[in-house]
């Protein structure tokens, strides 16, 4: 038995993120870089320690090596304390066999022993693939004050996007009256953010019941929450009014990054009141060569810029050679852009080499709308030959 905790967090970080296409060809979605120096999982981990939650289980599955290495001991987020800290929880072999996580609910079910070892009163369930800052302790206080069995963090989303989320209705006091996962005909635009607080005993019972149901898809939104609502459990909606973005598609990922470059960004990474911690590598300072031109861009440590960079984000250790133009683009860590290249509205994965005289984002000649809003994506660790041409909206990977 570990040290008793009031609340432990279970961070779901095992998803492939297939809608991110080439960006997640070789890494799990929470390990994808964001905003220059961060990875997507940094935001949930930083929220935990900023909320006084110092015990976090990170449930990994799809291509976990990079994510495991990145999290390490958790020291970067002050999550390395004795009796708490961050714990990597992959599927494992147990007596009677073992199996992959079959869904979000099953992933937590397979780690009930970890939860019970800390004997918490509440369990916070999180997703590792959203961009936001949030004080979970305020949500926890709301949960306790309302004597809730389950509390779901919610926010209003545009009606045209409502079908992508778990949609609920709630009374004036916050009590949830209906819940539907990704409905074709949404009754409201009040969406679940995939952040749940469960009373620990109820969670164990609910997951055990769900595991015994052969018709269940083992998912919180599809199965566990609707079942508990039908059983008359006390479910409450905690309304969140800050910035929150699901970056599960190429379009939303690109948009969220580009918002950082606005004069008054909706999500300000420079806000000193909220610390976003990261296990970023240590590099020497950036160097902007005399012949370079840089406008409205984020340039991280270790970068060397000889060409033109406009309205773009250069992650750590990126090199842009002379004669090259990077416009409206996101370049992930360790990438090299050769001489006389043009990149327009492109996302280039980590440790990729773009040979000289290449053009990423070649305008379409047909006149129709290009795929994925014209965003060109290159996977990690690619080596593009000299003179490569990639049309706008195309994905480039080895698969």
């Amino acid at each position: 038995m570990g040290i008793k905790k009031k609340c432990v967090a279970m961070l779901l970080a095992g998803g492939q993120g297939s809608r991110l296409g080439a960006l997640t060809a070789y890494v799990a979605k929470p390990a994808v870089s964001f905003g220059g120096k961060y990875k997507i999982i940094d935001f949930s981990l930083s929220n935990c320690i900023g909320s006084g939650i110092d015990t976090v289980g990170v449930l990994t599955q799809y291509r976990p090596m990079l994510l495991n290495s990145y999290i390490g001991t958790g020291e970067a987020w002050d999550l390395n304390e004795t009796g708490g800290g961050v714990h990597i929880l992959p599927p494992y072999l147990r007596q009677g066999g073992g199996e992959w996580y079959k869904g979000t609910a099953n992933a937590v079910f397979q780690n009930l022993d970890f939860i019970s070892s800390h004997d918490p009163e509440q369990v916070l369930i999180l997703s590792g693939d959203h961009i936001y800052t949030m004080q979970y302790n305020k949500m926890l206080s709301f949960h306790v004050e309302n004597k809730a069995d389950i509390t779901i963090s919610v926010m209003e989303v545009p009606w045209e996007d409502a079908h992508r989320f778990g949609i609920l209705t709630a009374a004036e006091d916050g009590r949830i009256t209906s819940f539907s996962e990704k409905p074709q005909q949404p009754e409201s635009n009040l969406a679940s953010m995939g952040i749940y607080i469960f009373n620990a005993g109820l969670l164990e019972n609910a997951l055990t019941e769900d595991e015994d149901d052969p018709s269940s898809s083992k998912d919180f939104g599809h199965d566990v929450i609707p079942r508990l609502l039908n059983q008359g459990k006390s479910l409450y909606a905690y309304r969140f009014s800050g910035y929150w973005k699901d970056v599960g598609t190429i379009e939303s990922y690109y948009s969220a990054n580009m918002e950082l470059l606005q004069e008054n960004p909706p999500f300000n990474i420079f806000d000193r009141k909220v610390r976003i911690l990261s296990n970023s590598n240590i590099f020497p300072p950036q160097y902007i060569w005399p012949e370079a031109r840089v406008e409205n861009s984020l340039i991280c440590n270790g970068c060397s810029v000889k060409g033109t960079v406009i309205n773009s984000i250069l992650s750590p250790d990126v090199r842009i050679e002379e004669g090259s133009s990077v416009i409206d683009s996101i370049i992930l860590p360790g990438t090299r852009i050769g001489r006389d290249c043009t990149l327009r509205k492109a996302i280039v994965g980590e440790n990729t080499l773009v040979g000289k005289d290449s053009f990423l984002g070649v305008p379409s000649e047909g006149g129709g709308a290009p795929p994925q809003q014209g965003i060109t994506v290159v996977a990690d660790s690619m080596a593009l030959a000299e003179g490569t041409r990639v049309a706008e909206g195309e994905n480039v990977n080895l698969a």
Side-chain angles (χ1 to χ4, degrees):
M1 178 71 69
I3 298 175
K4 179 175 174 58
K5 299 290 181 179
K6 179 176 176 59
C7 180
V8 300
M10 301 295 280
L11 201 163
L12 299 163
Q16 177 179 356
S18 57
R19 292 180 300 162
L20 282 176
L23 286 181
T24 52
Y26 311 111
V27 297
K29 180 164 56 171
V32 174
S33 294
F34 179 87
K37 68 170 292 183
Y38 305 106
K39 292 192 183 295
I40 295 173
I41 199 171
D42 285 336
F43 298 88
S44 296
L45 291 175
S46 297
N47 290 338
C48 284
I49 197 63
S51 302
I53 297 172
D54 64 1
T55 304
V56 182
V58 179
L59 285 66
T60 63
Q61 179 160 279
Y62 173 77
R63 293 191 178 272
M65 186 177 70
L66 178 60
L67 190 61
N68 294 353
S69 175
Y70 181 75
I71 294 173
T73 64
E75 181 179 6
W77 303 272
D78 294 331
L79 286 170
N80 60 335
E81 294 186 2
T82 302
V86 64
H87 303 262
I88 306 296
L89 302 173
Y92 63 94
L93 190 66
R94 54 179 60 79
Q95 190 174 22
E99 57 188 354
W100 295 110
Y101 295 148
K102 295 178 289 187
T104 56
N106 175 259
V108 178
F109 172 80
Q110 290 197 40
N111 290 283
L112 286 175
D113 287 348
F114 170 80
I115 295 172
S116 62
S117 72
H118 295 285
D119 191 25
E121 297 173 25
Q122 285 86 29
V123 180
L124 173 66
I125 310 292
L126 302 170
S127 173
D129 51 13
H130 298 142
I131 305 299
Y132 68 113
T133 58
M134 182 178 180
Q135 293 178 294
Y136 302 136
N137 52 315
K138 291 185 177 181
M139 181 179 173
L140 185 59
S141 295
F142 174 89
H143 176 86
V144 173
E145 289 168 5
N146 285 283
K147 298 180 180 178
D149 293 317
I150 307 162
T151 298
I152 303 174
S153 185
V154 301
M155 68 183 303
E156 292 185 0
V157 298
W159 276 96
E160 61 268 24
D161 294 334
H163 67 281
R164 295 177 46 218
F165 299 92
I167 294 297
L168 54 89
T169 56
E172 288 187 6
D173 64 354
R175 186 152 188 154
I176 296 171
T177 56
S178 70
F179 184 95
S180 180
E181 182 72 3
K182 299 180 181 178
Q184 292 298 315
Q185 302 284 332
E187 295 182 0
S188 81
N189 65 336
L190 194 60
S192 166
M193 298 165 60
I195 301 170
Y196 316 119
I197 293 177
F198 283 79
N199 291 337
L202 175 73
L203 176 65
E204 181 174 357
N205 292 336
L207 293 181
T208 301
E209 181 181 0
D210 185 69
E211 192 66 20
D212 291 337
D213 181 358
S215 67
S216 171
S217 62
K218 316 305 180 190
D219 183 81
F220 279 106
H222 276 109
D223 307 289
V224 176
I225 291 172
R227 182 185 295 113
L228 292 172
L229 185 62
N230 290 335
Q231 291 173 352
K233 302 300 183 184
S234 177
L235 278 68
Y236 275 80
Y238 175 79
R239 289 180 179 262
F240 178 72
S241 58
Y243 180 94
W244 176 86
K245 180 157 285 192
D246 179 350
V247 290
T249 66
I250 290 295
E251 294 84 353
S252 61
Y253 174 84
Y254 179 84
S255 171
N257 273 278
M258 289 294 105
E259 286 175 347
L260 302 176
L261 300 176
Q262 296 177 8
E263 184 175 354
N264 295 300
F267 184 70
N268 185 7
I269 59 175
F270 297 101
D271 185 355
R272 299 201 172 199
K273 296 178 183 177
V274 181
R275 295 178 65 205
I276 304 168
L277 304 173
S278 171
N279 190 14
S280 59
N281 292 318
I282 298 174
F283 289 101
Q286 59 176 254
Y287 184 66
I288 311 300
W289 289 69
E291 64 269 29
R293 176 189 170 197
V294 176
E295 297 180 8
N296 192 46
S297 296
L298 291 174
I299 313 294
C300 291
N301 283 354
C303 288
S304 170
V305 180
K306 295 182 180 180
T308 297
V309 179
I310 299 174
N311 201 55
S312 295
I313 297 175
L314 304 189
S315 302
D317 193 33
V318 167
R319 297 183 185 179
I320 310 296
E321 297 298 338
E322 57 191 314
S324 288
S325 296
V326 177
I327 302 169
D328 299 329
S329 295
I330 304 163
I331 314 300
L332 302 189
T335 285
R336 305 289 185 259
I337 309 298
R339 297 177 57 180
D340 301 320
C341 293
T342 300
L343 283 71
R344 292 183 180 274
K345 205 173 182 180
I347 305 172
V348 182
E350 298 189 24
N351 301 309
T352 285
L353 173 64
V354 179
K356 69 178 183 178
D357 297 317
S358 294
F359 194 151
L360 307 185
V362 179
S364 303
E365 297 180 357
Q372 57 192 27
Q373 297 180 4
I375 304 164
T376 302
V377 182
V378 179
D380 293 349
S381 304
M382 297 291 295
L384 303 187
E386 296 180 7
T388 295
R389 297 289 187 270
V390 180
E392 59 181 347
E394 295 297 317
N395 291 307
V396 180
N397 59 50
L398 293 175

